[in-house]
Amino acid sequence: MGKSKSLQILLLLALSAAANAATTILPRPNSCDIHEGQFVFTPGIPVIYAPGLEALAEYITEYIPLRQIDDRTWTAGQSLRLLIDDTLGAEAYRLEVTPQGVRVTGGDYGGVFNGLQTLLQLLPPEAYTKHATLPMTVPACRIVDEPRFHYRGMMLDVARTWMDADRVKRHIDLMSHLKINKLHLHLSDDEGWRLEIKSHPELTEIGAWRGGDSPVWPVYGKWDEKYGGFYTQEQMRDLIHYAGVRNVEIIPEFDLPAHSRNIARVHPEILCNYTPDLEVTAGYDYRSVWCAAREENYRLLADILGEVADLFPSEYIHIGGDEVDMTQWSRCPDCQALKSREGLADGHAIEQYFLGRVNRILEANGKRAAVWNEAIRGGNLPRNARVHGWKDVDACLEATAQGYRTVVMPGAYFYFDMRQSPHEEGHDWAAIFDVRKTYSFDFGKCGFTPAQVANVFGVEGAFWSEAYVSHEPEKPDYLDYMTFPRICALAEIGWSEGVREWPEFYRRLKGYYDAMGAQGIRFRLMPPRVTYRNGLLSASVEDGSRLTYTEDDSEEKPYTGPIRTQTPELYLFRSRYQSGRSPKVGTPAYYRTLQPAVKISTSMGESKEFPYVRAEEYRGIARTARTCRKGDWIRYDFEEPFTCREIAVRTGNLQLPRFIFTTGYVELSTDGETFERAGELAKGGWMLRHPERPIRAIRIVSTCEGNGCPYVTVQSPVIK
Ligand code: ACM
Ligand code: ZN
C-alpha cells in the first residue's frame, strides 16, 4: 500500500473516531458539526478564564491537568479558553475545537459548566478518573447548545436512608456530568430529621437517629442499631457551595404536614388533640401529621424555616404536602373547631390552610413554596407555588392545567426506586420500568397541550430510600444501580429538543458506558437475552458486555457458548461491563412456581380489609390485626407434603422491609404436628434450597416486640 493511501486511511479512521465521539454526546446537543483535525492537550497548555470563571478553571484542571491563567495575564498560544457571551441564553454554550485551541463560551457560568461537560465527553473516558495524563485528544468541532428546561432535577431521599455529605457530593458529580442542575434534598420524613436547626438542636440530637435508645423506631431496616446522621449548617453550606461550582442548586425539602412522625417523637405536642390507640402498635404513637389548629406549631415552623431560608440560596423551599392522613384532623376537636371557624370544607381545605400559613412564613423570609401535587386540591394554593407532579401523569396534567409551574416527575417514569424488571430489587407500586421507559416519556403522548407544556418548569427523577437502608447504603452500589442509566434518559428529556428514537439514544448510551466505568458508577446493563431450544441453553447481549452464568447458585462462570442441559431451570445469566452489570436472568422455567393448596393462620388475628384467604388478590400480601410480639407466629399448612427446588417465606412487603418480623426464626414440619427449627429470618424472610424431606407445614416465630408499625404483612410462600 502506498504511503499516501495508508495516510488517507489513518485520517479516515481518526475522523470516524472523532465523529463517533461527538455523536455519542449525552444529552444530545442542539447542533453539532464535526470538522477535520483535532486539538491535542499537551503538558503546559493553559486554561485561560474570564472574570467569574476561576472556579471552573480549577474544576476542569481536576480532569485535564492544565495550568490556570486568568484572562488579563495571558498573551497568545494554544489554550483552553473559558469565556462569557451574554448574547447566549442562560446555561447555553458554544464549544469550538480547532487544532489551535478550545473555546468554551457560555451565556453565563452555568453555560460554561455545561460546555465543559460536553468537552469531557469528547475526551478519552479516562478523563473522568481524574488521574488521566496528557496528551489527550479532542476532535475538532463546533457545538452550539442550550437546555430545553432550566429545571433538570434529581431528588435524593436522605431522610429514610442517611447519606452523608461526601456521598451526596459524589452523586452531585455524577449527575452534573449529565447537565442535571437541581438537587432536591428530602431532608425530613418519619424516619429522620437531617439538618441542624440551631434554635432547636433537639431536632437532630434526637431526631437524626432511629433505633437503639432513640424514641424514633426503626421502620425500614438496620433494626438492631441506632442509625442515622445529619448535616450541620456548616456542612450544608459547604455542600451548597460544592454543588454551586457544579451548576447545581440544592432545594431543601421539609415534608409537612404529614411524614412528620420523626419531629413528633421529639415534640409530641405538635400532634392533634386525641389519645391514639397504642394497643395495636405495641405502645408506639403512630401519628404523623401536624395539628393544623395549634398556633405554637406555626411559631416552631417559623423558627425552623427562618434558619432554612437563611442557609439556602434557592428561591424555593419545598414544604411537602403529600400523603396526609386526614383522619388525624377529623378526630381532633381543635382541628374541627378550626374547620368551622375558617369555613374549611374538608381535609384538603385544612391542608391548604396549613400550607398557606407555612407559605406566609416563607414569603416573610423572601422565599416561595414548592409542594407535592396533592397540595393543589382545594384550589387556594398561591399560583406562585411550584408544584412537583409525582403521583401520575394526570396529576401533572391537572397542575399544569390549573396554571401552576410544574416539575414533571410521574413515578411510573421518574421514580428510580422502582424496580427495573420483574425479578429485580426495588418497589413496583408506580411501575416496573427501565431506562427505555423513562426515555419514552413524551409530553404530547401523555396529553399535555402546548399551553400545559408552557407551564412545565422541568423534569425530575427521584430516589426514595425506604429500601436502600437494607441494601448496604454505606456502599454506593444500590443507589448507582437504581439511578444509572435511567438518569441519563432523564437528563436528555430535560435538556434536548427533537425526536426521540430509542435505538439512536441506546447507541449513545452505550457510548457513555466507558465514561460511567471511568467514574466508577455501578450502572445497570440491559438484561441478556436467554433462550432454551432443543436442549440448548444460550444467552446473548448486544452491548459488548461479558456474559457469565451460575448453575444452581454456583460460583459465577464465564459463558463461552450454548450449554447442553435438561435442567434449564437451574441456570441464571448476567453480563458485566467495567463497573456495570445486568440483572440475573433465567428462562421462564427458572421463575415457574408451584401452588400447593395452603392454609395460612397466625396468632395475631387478621385484618378485616386484607384477610389471609384473599392474600393472592393483594399480590400475595395479607395483614394481621396488630403488630407482632415475642412468640407470635404465622403458620402455613399444606394439604399434601411436597418436595421442591426452593422454598421461600417472607413477612413484610417485598423490597420494603416494613411490616415484618424484625427478628424471628422458621420451623419446618413433615407431619403438620412436630416442628424442627430450620433457620433464622433475615430482613423478615427465609429461603431454603432442596429441602431434605417433604414439607407439610412451616411456622415463622417472632422474637421481636413490635416492628414500628401497626401490623405485620403476611405473604404467600414462593415455591419453585
Ligand atoms: C411522594 O412520593 N409521596 C411524593
Ligand atoms: Zn388537630
Side-chain angles (χ1 to χ4, degrees):
M1 193 185 292
K3 212 174 188 170
S4 73
K5 184 101 182 212
S6 64
L7 208 65
Q8 246 178 340
I9 289 177
L10 273 179
L11 189 66
L12 272 176
L13 280 177
L15 269 178
S16 75
N20 262 341
T23 51
T24 60
I25 296 165
L26 195 161
R28 185 178 59 205
N30 279 13
S31 92
C32 171
D33 294 313
I34 302 300
H35 304 148
E36 267 184 40
Q38 57 190 23
F39 178 75
V40 186
F41 284 103
T42 52
I45 285 188
V47 49
I48 317 292
Y49 57 90
L53 299 178
E54 184 176 0
L56 286 179
E58 237 169 78
Y59 170 86
I60 198 62
T61 51
E62 286 186 34
Y63 298 86
I64 319 171
L66 304 172
R67 272 187 310 134
Q68 296 164 36
I69 302 184
D70 101 31
D71 226 354
R72 288 158 303 193
T73 55
W74 180 68
T75 47
Q78 287 192 320
S79 66
L80 165 62
R81 294 202 68 184
L82 310 183
L83 301 157
I84 296 282
D85 170 358
D86 47 26
T87 65
L88 293 171
E91 289 196 278
Y93 70 90
R94 203 165 49 228
L95 171 63
E96 294 154 300
V97 180
T98 69
Q100 286 72 48
V102 178
R103 290 160 73 100
V104 181
T105 311
D108 54 12
Y109 180 99
V112 179
F113 180 83
N114 291 328
L116 287 174
Q117 296 317 312
T118 299
L119 174 64
L120 277 175
Q121 288 198 20
L122 293 172
L123 290 168
E126 297 73 53
Y128 284 107
T129 63
K130 300 188 181 180
H131 304 301
T133 51
L134 300 181
M136 278 199 256
T137 300
V138 52
C141 63
R142 179 184 160 86
I143 295 173
V144 183
D145 201 8
E146 65 181 336
R148 178 180 191 188
F149 295 116
H150 288 293
Y151 192 110
R152 305 176 302 279
M154 181 66 203
M155 192 218 74
L156 286 185
D157 168 10
V158 294
R160 271 62 168 269
T161 300
W162 165 236
M163 300 175 214
D164 66 20
D166 284 342
R167 279 191 284 149
V168 175
K169 283 181 179 174
R170 178 177 176 274
H171 198 77
I172 289 171
D173 277 342
L174 307 187
M175 62 184 246
S176 63
H177 286 321
L178 295 162
K179 305 186 176 85
I180 291 175
N181 69 345
K182 306 284 178 194
L183 177 65
H184 167 179
L185 276 185
H186 186 73
L187 288 166
S188 77
D189 211 302
D190 294 331
E191 292 76 29
W193 184 279
R194 301 292 177 219
L195 181 70
E196 174 192 31
I197 301 296
K198 289 190 191 287
S199 59
H200 290 279
E202 69 283 4
L203 294 184
T204 46
E205 277 167 8
I206 302 170
W209 310 93
R210 39 42 100 243
D213 65 0
S214 170
V216 186
W217 278 21
V219 180
Y220 292 120
K222 290 199 181 291
W223 309 104
D224 306 327
E225 8 175 336
K226 188 165 178 175
Y227 166 79
F230 67 94
Y231 312 106
T232 63
Q233 292 197 5
E234 201 47 47
Q235 286 171 327
M236 184 52 77
R237 222 170 268 118
D238 174 61
L239 198 56
I240 291 166
H241 174 78
Y242 187 90
V245 168
R246 287 151 185 80
N247 191 39
V248 171
E249 179 181 62
I250 298 187
I251 296 150
E253 180 191 351
F254 293 87
D255 203 347
L256 304 165
H259 287 272
S260 296
R261 195 173 308 126
N262 180 280
I263 188 168
R265 295 302 289 182
V266 184
H267 285 287
E269 69 278 9
I270 68 167
L271 292 168
C272 279
N273 175 14
Y274 69 92
T275 309
D277 174 6
L278 299 181
E279 177 61 23
V280 294
T281 56
Y284 191 64
D285 188 344
Y286 210 66
R287 290 175 295 172
S288 60
V289 180
W290 291 65
C291 180
R294 193 171 173 273
E295 276 308 308
E296 296 89 331
N297 282 359
Y298 300 105
R299 286 199 280 278
L300 175 56
L301 285 167
D303 288 349
I304 294 170
L305 294 173
E307 288 189 38
V308 169
D310 283 346
L311 183 58
F312 289 88
S314 73
E315 184 185 2
Y316 285 84
I317 307 289
H318 200 306
I319 53 171
D322 59 325
E323 300 182 308
V324 181
D325 170 8
M326 291 170 185
T327 63
Q328 294 175 40
W329 290 333
S330 57
R331 296 177 66 183
C332 171
D334 301 340
C335 281
Q336 290 310 301
L338 171 80
K339 185 167 171 252
S340 311
R341 197 168 65 240
E342 297 285 332
L344 304 171
D346 55 13
H348 298 296
I350 298 178
E351 176 172 4
Q352 291 224 327
Y353 171 87
F354 181 94
L355 292 175
R357 296 280 305 260
V358 177
N359 186 54
R360 291 220 295 276
I361 296 170
L362 291 182
E363 283 178 347
N365 286 281
K367 298 290 186 188
R368 294 180 178 192
V371 292
W372 296 114
N373 58 247
E374 293 96 313
I376 69 172
R377 264 181 245 156
N380 293 319
L381 188 76
R383 293 292 143 171
N384 66 12
R386 183 195 281 162
V387 175
H388 289 239
W390 69 274
K391 182 105 184 120
D392 47 29
V393 168
D394 283 349
C396 301
L397 289 171
E398 186 187 350
T400 48
Q402 287 192 24
Y404 288 105
R405 298 284 273 156
T406 303
V407 175
V408 170
M409 49 186 306
Y413 296 85
F414 296 118
Y415 267 24
F416 301 153
D417 49 322
M418 294 300 128
R419 86 179 66 151
Q420 302 180 71
S421 70
H423 302 289
E424 286 181 77
E425 300 193 278
H427 302 305
D428 63 357
W429 61 261
I432 296 172
F433 69 94
D434 64 9
V435 56
R436 187 168 180 163
K437 163 99 184 272
T438 304
Y439 193 67
S440 77
F441 182 81
D442 181 280
F443 289 100
K445 286 186 190 139
C446 286
F448 288 79
T449 64
Q452 282 169 303
V453 173
N455 286 329
V456 173
F457 198 57
V459 289
E460 181 168 299
F463 178 76
W464 295 98
S465 65
E466 295 97 321
Y468 189 25
V469 70
S470 55
H471 283 90
E472 299 186 284
E474 301 73 18
K475 301 176 189 166
D477 194 81
Y478 187 72
L479 172 61
D480 281 9
Y481 186 86
M482 298 305 274
T483 50
F484 284 84
R486 288 187 283 196
I487 197 170
C488 300
L490 166 80
E492 181 140 320
I493 293 169
W495 183 274
S496 313
E497 300 273 3
V499 181
R500 289 188 218 293
E501 300 279 358
W502 168 252
E504 190 276 326
F505 176 77
Y506 188 38
R507 185 181 58 74
R508 278 182 295 123
L509 181 61
K510 286 184 279 190
Y512 196 61
Y513 282 3
D514 285 331
M516 288 195 277
Q519 292 170 66
I521 301 173
R522 279 73 150 183
F523 59 102
R524 178 185 186 270
L525 298 165
M526 286 299 202
R529 231 171 77 85
V530 177
T531 54
Y532 181 63
R533 239 178 260 124
N534 305 326
L536 276 182
L537 186 59
S538 35
S540 61
V541 289
E542 48 181 32
D543 56 9
S545 57
R546 214 164 20 83
L547 271 164
T548 63
Y549 73 97
T550 55
E551 181 189 354
D552 206 15
D553 218 25
S554 68
E555 290 266 297
E556 213 168 282
K557 296 179 203 136
Y559 172 81
T560 51
I563 299 164
R564 183 163 297 283
T565 177
Q566 292 310 310
T567 52
E569 69 276 9
L570 298 180
Y571 290 81
L572 283 175
F573 297 82
R574 84 149 21 134
S575 75
R576 295 181 183 276
Y577 186 89
Q578 298 186 9
S579 48
R581 66 174 186 278
S582 78
K584 292 180 183 169
V585 184
T587 61
Y590 180 87
Y591 304 103
R592 195 170 299 137
T593 58
L594 312 175
Q595 309 278 341
V598 59
K599 181 175 162 286
I600 304 175
S601 54
T602 94
S603 59
M604 291 162 281
E606 62 189 307
S607 142
K608 285 193 188 70
E609 255 180 294
F610 300 98
Y612 311 130
V613 285
R614 286 167 60 195
E616 283 314 316
E617 288 173 43
Y618 311 114
R619 290 189 281 181
I621 290 167
R623 289 182 188 174
T624 60
R626 60 167 172 82
T627 195
C628 49
R629 303 201 179 85
K630 252 183 211 132
D632 272 323
W633 49 264
I634 301 165
R635 238 183 108 143
Y636 306 90
D637 285 278
F638 300 96
E639 212 164 81
E640 300 289 340
F642 65 91
T643 56
C644 59
R645 179 177 104 228
E646 183 183 308
I647 177 157
V649 286
R650 175 178 288 281
T651 57
N653 298 14
L654 200 62
Q655 301 308 327
L656 191 62
R658 201 177 162 177
F659 314 121
I660 68 173
F661 280 4
T662 55
T663 54
Y665 57 89
V666 177
E667 298 174 318
L668 290 182
S669 171
T670 51
D671 58 8
E673 280 165 26
T674 52
F675 284 83
E676 257 178 57
R677 193 146 162 159
E680 303 295 309
L681 289 181
K683 297 182 198 171
W686 172 86
M687 197 259 272
L688 178 69
R689 288 175 181 281
H690 305 294
E692 282 166 17
R693 278 168 291 185
I695 297 172
R696 178 65 196 273
I698 303 172
R699 187 161 63 191
I700 314 180
V701 183
S702 163
T703 54
C704 60
E705 282 291 345
N707 59 8
C709 302
Y711 56 86
V712 177
T713 55
V714 180
Q715 297 201 13
S716 302
V718 177
I719 303 158
K720 293 177 182 167

